[in-house]
Amino acid sequence: MQPAAPPCLQCGPLAPTLLLLAVALHPASAQYHRPIAFTHVTVIDGADSLPRRDLTVIVRGTRISAVGPSASTKIPAGARVIAGRGKYLVPGFWDMHVHTDVPTARLVLPLYVANGVTGVRDMAGSWEHLTGFRADIKASRFWGPRIVASGPYLDGNDQPIPHYLARTPAEATAAVDTLAALGVDFIKVHTGLNREAFLAAARAARSHHLPFAGHVPRVVGAADASDAGIASIEHLLTILTPCTPAESLALEPRFTVQAALGRCSSADPAPLYAKLARNGTRVTPTFTAQYEVALWPVRSVPNDSLAHYLPDTLRRYIAGIFPMPDSVPPGADSVGRAVFAKRLKLVGAMHRAGVVVLPGTDAPLRNSPPGFGLHEELAWLAQAGLSPWRVLVAATLEPAKFFGMQDSLGTIAPGKLADLVLLDADPLADIRNTRRVNTVVANGRLLDSAARKALLRIRSTP
């Protein structure tokens, strides 16, 4: 039985609108206890690159209870029926590099679900804050994704972001022991670690059976980090960009921040790609974030039109991370654009070599508000050379494999957790169709088309 709505929501000419807002804001109001039936829908997931047409998918509670032909699959009594004819059902998307512990977090976390992102990997933050978000989402106090989190990261330099200082092997080991005792999901390492501390952190993480991921220090390098067992390398750090000697000179960074795009090298990258594939080391390019770096210091970036979804407090916070100069010389972004184009080709080559690529956005940034940026990232992965189906797999099944949760997530089958996205257009025809979200089921809770639109209106703050 649904909890009774407050009296003011049960009467008067504004009742339908107010009820819709209540559903949009509070997932507990969203028919959580009724079965959900998607009928006559086309299912696309990582199980097969061929779409499965005219199926009915039944959700009971937090799990998928049935997937079968619409002609023979019985719809439970009292089910909320979602007409799926001409629509496409895919598993919920994952953004594998985000930061949720930011100002106004509880206001923007619902944007992930509204965009079909039902899971995120948080790469740094207060463990108290992150576990608080998870508790609130589980209790249906607001919409939000599943959060897999590292808590504070390990660094050799002091930082304003929650972290543990690890300048020696002993400090690195102690930090990992502390994080393991807290119950973090994985360990994040950062560029300020020296080689000995990095390797000590890797050993300690293995001893606790915790994956570790993050930034690779130059004193370690991608090859040795892979051999040490790093689960994923973020931002392609220490993975060199293939360039001719002449290009290496021409593409020297014009601004310090552009160095984050990586250095050029004429060395053959094939042995590194083979090692990454052999060791099962994933890469998270975060092209959405890298493109902002590539354009720096140009002020206008793609998706600026979405910035109104970020509250003013968060916008100021982000602007402080990327301060802009007062004037911009002509062609300031020419080097960044050229290097970025090469990084796209690099990721395509790694993918063809068997390296698993994960989508991540570094959200929230001004060009990637939570959830919105993931669709931009998927488009970049397609431009890098992944087929639309491979891009979908990268955003759904590969994260499930990364977390060892492929028995519960990543495909659409009976017994799987009910994280689902209904799209109005075929993502295999054009990966940009992932933006055409109609309805979302997040851990069994239904955010239908009308409630989704209401939530986006509420969260929009022009």
Side-chain angles (χ1 to χ4, degrees), residues 256-295:
T256 302
V257 71
Q258 288 176 347
L261 292 173
R263 294 178 295 156
C264 278
S265 172
S266 55
D268 180 9
L272 173 61
Y273 301 168
K275 180 185 287 286
L276 297 178
R278 184 170 59 250
N279 289 342
T281 306
R282 285 85 159 179
V283 295
T284 315
T286 61
F287 281 130
T288 310
Q290 288 207 21
Y291 195 54
E292 181 162 347
V293 172
L295 297 184

Side-chain angles (χ1 to χ4, degrees), residues 253-425:
R254 294 187 62 183
F255 302 94
T256 302
V257 71
Q258 288 176 347
L261 292 173
R263 294 178 295 156
C264 278
S265 172
S266 55
D268 180 9
L272 173 61
Y273 301 168
K275 180 185 287 286
L276 297 178
R278 184 170 59 250
N279 289 342
T281 306
R282 285 85 159 179
V283 295
T284 315
T286 61
F287 281 130
T288 310
Q290 288 207 21
Y291 195 54
E292 181 162 347
V293 172
L295 297 184
W296 198 94
V298 175
R299 294 176 184 274
S300 178
V301 295
N303 289 341
D304 261 352
S305 61
L306 300 173
H308 61 270
Y309 283 103
L310 302 176
D312 287 341
T313 302
L314 185 51
R315 285 188 236 179
R316 289 193 293 270
Y317 174 81
I318 296 167
I321 299 174
F322 292 98
M324 293 292 180
D326 293 331
S327 61
V328 180
D333 58 339
S334 58
V335 166
R337 287 178 181 272
V339 174
F340 182 83
K342 285 184 169 291
R343 300 295 263 181
L344 283 172
K345 292 180 180 178
L346 177 158
V347 167
M350 284 198 295
H351 168 68
R352 291 188 293 275
V355 179
V356 173
V357 179
L358 300 173
T361 65
D362 225 352
L365 295 175
R366 62 186 180 134
N367 67 326
S368 60
F372 293 97
L374 189 277
H375 299 290
E376 188 75 11
E377 190 71 18
L378 301 187
W380 283 124
L381 292 182
Q383 192 166 331
L386 280 69
S387 70
W389 182 70
R390 286 294 179 189
V391 173
L392 282 177
V393 170
T396 56
L397 182 57
E398 290 298 350
K401 289 181 177 178
F402 182 91
F403 299 127
M405 296 174 67
Q406 62 267 39
D407 60 335
S408 298
L409 290 167
T411 55
I412 298 175
K416 296 292 182 77
L417 287 166
D419 286 358
L420 301 166
V421 183
L422 186 66
L423 302 174
D424 283 328

Side-chain angles (χ1 to χ4, degrees), residues 242-254:
C243 299
T244 66
E247 288 174 330
S248 295
L249 291 174
L251 298 180
E252 280 289 322
R254 294 187 62 183

Side-chain angles (χ1 to χ4, degrees), residues 8-23:
C8 64
L9 295 183
Q10 295 176 338
C11 57
L14 293 180
T17 299
L18 292 174
L19 282 168
L20 184 60
L21 294 181
V23 171

